[in-house]
Amino acid sequence: MILKEETSDGSTKGEDAEDNDAYRIFAAIAYAVVLIVIGLPLWWKTTDVYRVSLPYSRIAALDSLDVTLGMNISISTIDPARGGRLVADLKDIFKTSKLFQLTFLALPLEKKDLASVHSPEDLENASLQPRKPGELLLLEVPGLSRFTANHVLAGLKRTVYFSSETTAVKLSEVLESWLLQEKSLRQTVAAMTAPTETDQDRSGRRRMPTAAEYDIMITVVNPEPEKLHLNWDLPQAVQDYLEPLLQELSLLAAYAVKSQWLYFVTLNVQPKLVTETSGSGYQHYALAEDILPQIITPLEKKLASHVSRNPCLNFIVYIPPCEAAPLHIYRRQGMRVKGGVDAFLSPRWGGIVIHNPSSLICHNTSVPEPKEYSPDTAAIMGIFLAQLRLLMGIPELKEISRVGQLPLSTVSLRQWEFDALLRVRTLEQLTSAKLTLQSLSQLLGEISNIVINDAVGSSIYRAVNCVEHAADLLKTGQLDQAFNESKEAFLSAEAAFTDPSLLALLYFPDDQKYAVYIPLFLPVMIPVILSLKSIHAWLFGRMNFKTKLKED
Amino acid sequence: MANRIINMLLILLLLLVSSISTIRRSVPENFARAGHTNNWAVLVDTSRFWFNYRHVANVLSIYRSVKRLGIPDSQIILMVADDMACNPRNPRPATVFNNANQHINVYGDDVEVDYRGYEVTVENFVRLLTGRSPPGTPRSKQLLTDEGSNVLVYLTGHGGDGFLKFQDSEEVTSQELADAVEQMWQKRRYHEIFFMIDTCQAASLYEKFYSPNILSVASSLVGEDSLSHHVDPAIGVYIIDRYTYYALDFLERVEPDSTKTMGEFLAVCPKRVCISTVGVRKDLFSRDPHKVLITDFFGSLRPVELTVSGLNVTAIPRTQNRTRRSQKEREVPDRKLQYAKQFPTFIFES
C-alpha cells in the first residue's frame, strides 16, 4: 500500500513510492543476478569432479583391433624349382590362417655350404641361421639320413632341416603343431576373452599367469635329519643349472630364486609296501597317483611367502628316510613311470621330486647315524628344469612320425621355442590389456563422478598407445619389440585398474546429492524466482510507459 | 512269440542294468574335470559387541573347517570385527567356543586374523574384492586370486533386506556387492565363487548378482530372520547360529579326500531344524551342484601331472666354481658378533 502524504518539496509521495519500487526491484534484480548468473555457475564449477578426459573411442576401437602375427619363413633347397614349388604349396596351405600372415621366401642354397657338414651340430654353427626373433629357416639337407632316421629335424636355433623326400604337407604339419602352434594361441585368446565358452588347453592351464616378476622357491624336505644327513650345496647347484636358463628367460620376466630346508616334515600319506616277491625285484614303497594331491596340501602351509606378491613356483625335493626308501610313484594303471623318474608337477604351482637315497648307503649298517648322502644334483636339477620349462609355457610337443628334434646339450632353450613363448606371452598381455582397458572405460564412463586423476589418465593413455603400437609391430614381424610394448601396455593397464584412488567414495547417487543441496538452495531461491515475475512486470511497465511517453 | 518278447525284454533289462553300472563307474571322471587350480577363502564377520559373540564363533568355525580341509593361511582372508577371545567379559579368556559343551576351542593357537576390529569396514571389504588396495598393503591383506581360483566367501552378521550391516555404523548393499564381484569377473580374478551368507533376510544379498559362475546359499529368505541355536549359560550369550551349526555338523564329517558333493551341502539345514528356509541360487552356476565335490570350495586339492622325464643335463665342471666357493668359506668376519643386552645398563653407568 502506498500512502499519499504531503512532502516539503511538493513532489507527490507517488514519485517517492515509484522510486522505492524502483529500489526494491533493483535489489531483487541484484539478488537474482548474484544468485543465478554468478552463483549457480560458480557452484557447478567448484563441485565438479576432477576428471581427465579419456580416449573412449580409441578404447572401443580396440575391440576390432586386427592382431595378426607377421612372420618371414625362408626355404632353402638345392633345386630352385623344388624350392619354388614348396613355397607355393605352403602358401596355399597357410592362406587360411587367421592369426598368422606368413611370407614364404625361397633362398638359393649352394652345395658347398653343406659340404663340410659331418653332424647336425655343424649345421647349427653355419652362418645361414636367421638371427631375428620370429624368423624361421627351412633348410634342405640332402643326405639327412646319414645323421638321423627322421625326415625332418628341428634344430636348436631357428632352423628346421628336412630331407629331399619330404613333402610340403609334412613340413606344414611340423610348422603348424610344433613351431607356430596357432591352435594353442587362438585358444588362449578365446579363453581370456570369453571364459564361459572356451577353456584353456592343457598347456595354457599349466602355464603360469603373466607377471613382471616370478619367485622361485626351492625346498629340500628331510623328514629325519638325525638319521640321514644331506651333503648338498644348493646355492651352487642353483647357480650352475638354473641360472643359465633364467638368464635366457630374463627378457620375459625377472626371477628371484630362494631356497629353504624343512626338517621333521613328513608326507602325511601312507605309501604301500611292495615286497620283493611281487615281481619287481626288490622291496620298495609305492605311492598311488591318486593320493599325490594330498601331498601338496599340507606342504603348502610351510611354503608361501608372507611378503612377496609375485606368483611363486615351488620346487620341492623330498628325500625319504632309509626305512621308507625307495619310494616310487605308480600310475593309475598300476605301472611305474618308465625311466625311473619319481616326480610330479601341479599346474601353476610347481613340482615335487622324490629322490631316494642310494641303497648302498642305506643298507651299509657299519656307518653310524647320521649317514651322509650327497644327492645326484644333475638328476634332480634336470627334472626341475623340465618342470620349469612346462610351467613357464613351453609345451610338450605332439609326436609326428619321422620328425625329431636335436637334443639339447646345454641348459638353454631352443630359440624357436623361445620365439613361440614370446608369441604366446605377447598375445596374452595384449588381450589382458585390451580387456582391462575396456572394462575400465565402461566403469568410468558409467559412473560420472569418479575422480580420474592425472596418474590414472596417463596410465590409460600409455596403455592404449602401447597396445596399438604393439599390434603394428606384430604385423611387421618384430617380435621382441612387440613383446616389450605389450608388457608395457599390460603393466600400465593393471596400474590404472588397480589404482586405489578409483574407490575414493566420492560418488554418491543422484538422490543423495539432491537431498543435500535442495534444503540449502530452495529457501533462498524461492523468493528470487517469485520476484522475477514482479521484476518482469515492472520492467515491461516502465518500457511501455517510456514508449507511451515517446509516442506522445 | 511270447517267448521271443520275454527274451527281448530280458535282454533289454540286462543292457539297462549294465549301462547303469557303467554310468555309475564313469561319475568319478566328471569329478576330475574341475578347471580350478587353487582355492581361496574370504571369511567375514561384520558385527561387534559382546552380545554378537555368535557371529565371531560362526566365522571362526568355518575358518577352522576350511583350514583343516587344506586351504593354507596364506590363502585365507579372515575379517573379525571384534575381539571375543580377549574381551574383558569373556569368562573363558583366550577361547571362543561354538558349542555349549565347549569341546572345540575354535580360536585355537594358530588363528591368523587379517583384518581385525575397526579395520573391518565396507571400504576395506570392497578394496579387498576389487584389488584396489593402497600401496603398502601387506600381502596377507590382499586377495591374490587368478583365473583358476575357486573362492569361498562367507559373510555373517546382522543384515536386512538388501544390505549387510558393518560394525553397527555402516552397511554394504547387495548392489555394491554385485558390482564388486563383477569387477572381479572383469579382471578374471575368480574361476567360481561360493557365497555363504548367514544373516537375517540373507537371500536379498545374492539377488543382485549378475556375473557368471556364482553359487550362493543363504540361511534365510527375504522376510525371514535367521535364528541362533542355543545359549551357553556359562558364557552368557548365544554361542552359534542355527545354519552355521548344522553346516558345521556336515563339514566336521568331511575329510580332505571325501567324495561328498555340494548338492548335499546345499540341503544341509531343513526347515524343521533351521526354522528359516535356506535359499539357494544356482542359475549363475554352470555345473550341476550334485556333481561338484565339496573340496572344490572348502578344501584345496591341486590337480597333478606326472613328470615323465627330466632334462638330460650333463654335470657342469666344478673346478673353477669350487675355488670360488672355498674362497668364500675362508673369509672370516672381522668383528665378533654377539646378542644385544636385554637391559642395557651400560647407558646408566657413567
Side-chain angles (χ1 to χ4, degrees):
Chain A
M1 281 297 278
I2 303 169
L3 295 168
K4 288 208 186 290
E5 283 176 10
E6 293 285 326
T7 54
S8 50
D9 56 357
S11 61
T12 59
K13 212 42 180 154
E15 277 184 18
D16 274 346
E18 273 184 33
D19 283 341
N20 279 343
D21 252 348
Y23 292 147
R24 250 189 30 239
I25 299 295
F26 287 150
I29 293 179
Y31 267 108
V33 161
V34 166
L35 279 176
I36 298 181
V37 174
I38 302 180
L40 220 55
L42 194 65
W43 165 78
W44 189 259
K45 181 90 179 32
T46 50
T47 55
D48 81 347
V49 169
Y50 182 75
R51 281 171 78 94
V52 171
S53 70
L54 293 178
Y56 293 109
S57 52
R58 276 169 75 189
I59 297 178
L62 288 182
D63 217 2
S64 53
L65 188 68
D66 179 28
V67 178
T68 51
L69 297 148
M71 210 169 135
N72 288 338
I73 302 187
S74 332
I75 307 188
S76 280
T77 48
I78 307 267
D79 178 18
R82 179 158 185 253
R85 273 197 311 263
L86 275 179
V87 165
D89 285 339
L90 284 173
K91 226 185 267 211
D92 207 34
I93 296 175
F94 280 104
K95 71 169 184 264
T96 53
S97 159
K98 292 193 191 79
L99 203 56
F100 281 92
Q101 280 217 333
L102 299 168
T103 320
F104 290 97
L105 313 154
L107 287 181
L109 181 66
E110 304 288 318
K111 214 163 172 136
K112 62 176 170 60
D113 286 340
L114 301 173
S116 59
V117 162
H118 299 291
S119 71
E121 284 73 24
D122 289 341
L123 281 169
E124 291 286 303
N125 297 332
S127 57
L128 27 78
Q129 294 281 349
R131 292 196 189 290
K132 198 162 144 226
E135 286 190 347
L136 270 182
L137 171 65
L138 304 176
L139 186 64
E140 180 187 5
V141 179
L144 190 67
S145 46
R146 305 177 263 156
F147 309 133
T148 167
N150 295 316
H151 283 176
V152 182
L153 198 62
L156 295 177
K157 296 194 182 162
R158 294 188 175 96
T159 313
V160 174
Y161 309 104
F162 62 97
S163 64
S164 314
E165 305 95 49
T166 314
T167 56
V169 175
K170 186 64 122 188
L171 282 178
S172 76
E173 210 184 322
V174 174
L175 276 178
E176 173 66 43
S177 59
W178 281 26
L179 298 161
L180 300 178
Q181 293 173 5
E182 179 175 351
K183 193 152 156 273
S184 179
L185 288 173
R186 293 221 329 258
Q187 193 161 0
T188 302
V189 174
M192 287 179 78
T193 340
T196 43
E197 288 154 35
T198 330
D199 269 333
Q200 294 265 15
D201 64 346
R202 196 150 169 230
S203 65
R205 263 198 294 266
R206 206 193 291 139
R207 189 172 51 225
M208 293 294 284
T210 322
E213 188 172 347
Y214 294 99
D215 284 346
I216 297 182
M217 167 84 90
I218 304 181
T219 310
V220 181
V221 178
N222 187 357
E224 289 181 7
E226 72 274 14
K227 295 193 185 146
L228 189 66
H229 179 254
L230 292 173
N231 203 351
W232 198 20
D233 191 355
L234 189 50
Q236 191 61 38
V238 164
Q239 206 175 1
D240 288 338
Y241 293 95
L242 221 47
E243 286 295 323
L245 185 63
L246 297 179
Q247 196 65 28
E248 281 210 13
L249 289 173
S250 60
L251 175 64
L252 283 171
Y255 292 88
V257 183
K258 300 177 254 200
S259 62
Q260 64 173 355
W261 291 66
L262 289 179
Y263 294 118
F264 301 110
V265 171
T266 53
L267 280 186
N268 274 15
V269 292
Q270 276 300 102
K272 276 207 311 246
L273 175 64
V274 176
T275 54
E276 291 159 9
T277 49
S278 54
S280 49
Y282 60 100
Q283 174 181 305
H284 60 277
Y285 290 85
L287 267 182
E289 189 182 346
D290 290 330
I291 56 173
L292 292 178
Q294 298 174 30
I295 296 181
I296 301 182
T297 308
L299 275 177
E300 259 197 291
K301 296 192 191 11
K302 304 181 169 46
L303 294 177
S305 160
H306 294 278
V307 179
S308 145
R309 276 165 248 183
N310 304 322
C312 188
L313 287 129
N314 294 297
F315 291 112
I316 303 178
V317 186
Y318 178 75
I319 308 201
C322 281
E323 297 84 44
L327 184 59
H328 295 303
I329 297 181
Y330 274 71
R331 288 189 199 260
R332 249 181 228 121
Q333 296 90 352
M335 306 127 22
R336 280 187 55 194
V337 172
K338 263 193 280 235
V341 168
D342 296 306
F344 58 99
L345 65 77
S346 178
R348 296 193 177 189
W349 183 79
I352 300 189
V353 174
I354 298 181
H355 185 73
N356 295 308
S358 77
S359 50
L360 293 162
I361 293 179
C362 274
H363 292 161
N364 192 350
T365 42
S366 58
V367 176
E369 291 189 339
K371 302 193 177 141
E372 290 264 334
Y373 174 58
S374 298
D376 183 0
T377 310
I380 298 178
M381 283 299 172
I383 304 177
F384 278 163
L385 285 168
Q387 291 175 338
L388 180 63
R389 278 166 54 107
L390 286 172
L391 286 168
M392 286 316 299
I394 300 168
E396 67 236 325
L397 297 171
K398 195 178 77 165
E399 289 264 332
I400 310 180
S401 71
R402 307 296 219 125
V403 179
Q405 320 176 51
L406 278 180
L408 286 167
S409 56
T410 57
V411 179
S412 72
L413 296 170
R414 300 190 178 91
Q415 287 183 346
W416 52 265
E417 284 174 336
F418 185 67
D419 289 347
L421 192 54
L422 274 183
R423 268 181 225 120
V424 75
R425 288 297 189 193
T426 307
L427 282 182
E428 258 189 9
Q429 287 169 345
L430 270 183
T431 315
S432 168
K434 236 170 52 170
L435 293 171
T436 308
L437 284 170
Q438 283 170 344
S439 156
L440 197 56
S441 88
Q442 189 190 11
L443 175 76
L444 295 176
E446 263 182 31
I447 306 182
S448 57
N449 43 10
I450 293 186
V451 175
I452 307 177
N453 56 20
D454 291 327
V456 173
S458 69
S459 294
I460 295 181
Y461 271 99
R462 192 165 54 238
V464 175
N465 291 339
C466 286
V467 167
E468 291 169 349
H469 194 205
D472 288 332
L473 287 170
L474 270 183
K475 227 189 288 266
T476 55
Q478 300 176 62
L479 194 53
D480 45 352
Q481 287 161 344
F483 172 78
N484 286 332
E485 287 289 307
S486 72
K487 188 157 148 182
E488 181 67 38
F490 170 71
L491 292 175
S492 302
E494 289 287 309
F497 192 91
T498 56
D499 195 279
S501 70
L502 287 181
L503 211 90
L505 293 186
L506 260 187
Y507 32 102
F508 347 94
D510 284 337
D511 45 343
Q512 287 191 13
K513 239 197 297 191
Y514 299 147
V516 168
Y517 285 118
I518 285 182
L520 286 175
F521 281 140
L522 205 58
V524 178
M525 296 298 271
I526 289 181
V528 172
I529 296 196
L530 288 181
S531 69
L532 279 178
K533 185 167 175 297
S534 56
I535 294 175
H536 178 265
W538 181 83
L539 270 176
F540 270 105
R542 276 199 50 155
M543 276 171 44
N544 280 344
F545 185 62
K546 279 204 178 116
T547 50
K548 274 211 188 107
L549 282 178
K550 269 205 199 129
E551 281 164 16
D552 284 349
Chain B
M1 188 62 186
N3 254 349
R4 261 217 198 140
I5 295 176
I6 291 174
N7 277 346
M8 269 177 44
L9 282 173
L10 276 174
I11 290 171
L12 274 173
L13 193 65
L14 203 64
L15 282 171
L16 198 66
V17 167
S18 59
S19 62
I20 286 176
S21 51
T22 48
I23 288 172
R24 223 181 285 134
R25 248 183 280 131
S26 69
V27 161
E29 306 294 320
N30 278 340
F31 280 168
R33 257 196 65 248
H36 73 281
T37 51
N38 54 27
N39 284 78
W40 282 72
V42 177
L43 311 171
V44 182
D45 151 61
T46 59
S47 41
R48 57 173 35 243
F49 305 130
W50 174 245
F51 51 82
N52 290 323
Y53 183 103
R54 61 189 184 283
H55 297 140
V56 175
N58 283 353
V59 79
L60 286 176
S61 316
I62 301 280
Y63 170 76
R64 190 177 162 275
S65 300
V66 143
K67 233 170 105 148
R68 183 179 58 85
L69 291 173
I71 305 188
D73 268 313
S74 52
Q75 286 167 210
I76 303 179
I77 309 270
L78 179 61
M79 302 172 74
V80 177
D82 201 2
D83 188 7
M84 296 300 159
C86 300
N87 197 306
R89 291 171 74 168
N90 192 348
R92 310 267 184 271
T95 60
V96 173
F97 294 111
N98 63 356
N99 205 316
N101 49 27
Q102 293 180 7
H103 281 161
I104 319 170
N105 169 18
V106 289
Y107 199 62
D109 312 331
D110 57 349
V111 63
E112 275 188 27
V113 181
D114 300 303
Y115 286 85
R116 63 194 57 148
Y118 286 106
E119 290 170 356
V120 179
T121 57
V122 173
E123 181 181 340
N124 282 346
F125 183 55
V126 176
R127 279 188 193 276
L128 173 80
L129 286 182
T130 54
R132 297 191 172 114
S133 304
T137 313
R139 185 206 182 276
S140 58
K141 283 187 161 155
Q142 287 190 358
L143 192 62
L144 300 171
T145 49
D146 58 31
E147 68 208 30
S149 307
N150 274 7
V151 187
L152 165 74
V153 182
Y154 177 78
L155 303 172
T156 181
H158 287 292
D161 191 357
F163 67 91
L164 172 65
K165 190 169 72 161
F166 267 68
Q167 303 268 13
D168 215 28
S169 63
E170 51 181 3
E171 56 201 34
V172 66
T173 55
S174 51
Q175 184 63 47
E176 274 177 21
L177 201 55
D179 289 337
V181 171
E182 174 66 14
Q183 290 278 289
M184 280 179 81
W185 176 249
Q186 299 270 341
K187 281 305 289 168
R188 313 285 183 254
R189 280 168 57 136
Y190 69 88
H191 180 247
E192 285 167 348
I193 288 189
F194 179 55
F195 249 105
M196 264 175 83
I197 309 180
D198 190 353
T199 69
C200 301
Q201 306 198 49
S204 62
L205 272 178
Y206 64 55
E207 303 272 283
K208 294 266 175 62
F209 286 146
Y210 53 97
S211 319
N213 290 351
I214 304 181
L215 179 63
S216 328
V217 69
S219 62
S220 56
L221 298 177
V222 176
E224 290 178 346
D225 287 336
S226 283
L227 301 171
S228 46
H229 194 252
H230 61 273
V231 157
D232 183 354
I235 298 187
V237 280
Y238 279 93
I239 293 274
I240 191 153
D241 279 334
R242 281 180 187 255
Y243 180 71
T244 308
Y245 180 83
Y246 288 104
L248 278 173
D249 207 19
F250 182 88
L251 287 175
E252 283 291 313
R253 292 190 217 128
V254 170
E255 293 303 319
D257 55 354
S258 152
T259 51
K260 294 207 165 90
T261 64
M262 287 305 288
E264 294 169 31
F265 185 75
L266 291 176
V268 90
C269 198
K271 202 170 155 102
R272 56 181 171 78
V273 288
C274 239
I275 304 179
S276 55
T277 322
V278 169
V280 174
R281 186 169 175 190
K282 304 190 263 209
D283 62 322
L284 294 169
F285 195 63
S286 54
R287 300 193 277 160
D288 178 10
H290 291 278
K291 294 208 180 72
V292 177
L293 281 178
I294 198 160
T295 49
D296 271 4
F297 290 106
F298 284 90
S300 167
L301 278 182
R302 289 188 179 264
V304 150
E305 283 174 23
L306 286 182
T307 305
V308 183
S309 68
L311 234 50
N312 199 356
V313 284
T314 50
I316 313 271
R318 309 267 314 258
T319 41
Q320 69 270 47
N321 298 335
R322 200 178 288 155
T323 49
R324 243 185 287 138
R325 186 88 192 141
S326 51
Q327 266 172 6
K328 259 194 256 175
E329 276 164 336
R330 266 192 270 117
E331 272 175 32
V332 177
D334 50 356
R335 55 193 164 86
K336 190 166 169 0
L337 303 170
Q338 52 185 302
Y339 285 106
K341 287 203 188 331
Q342 257 198 327
F343 192 70
T345 50
F346 61 87
I347 305 178
F348 307 110
E349 292 157 14
S350 47

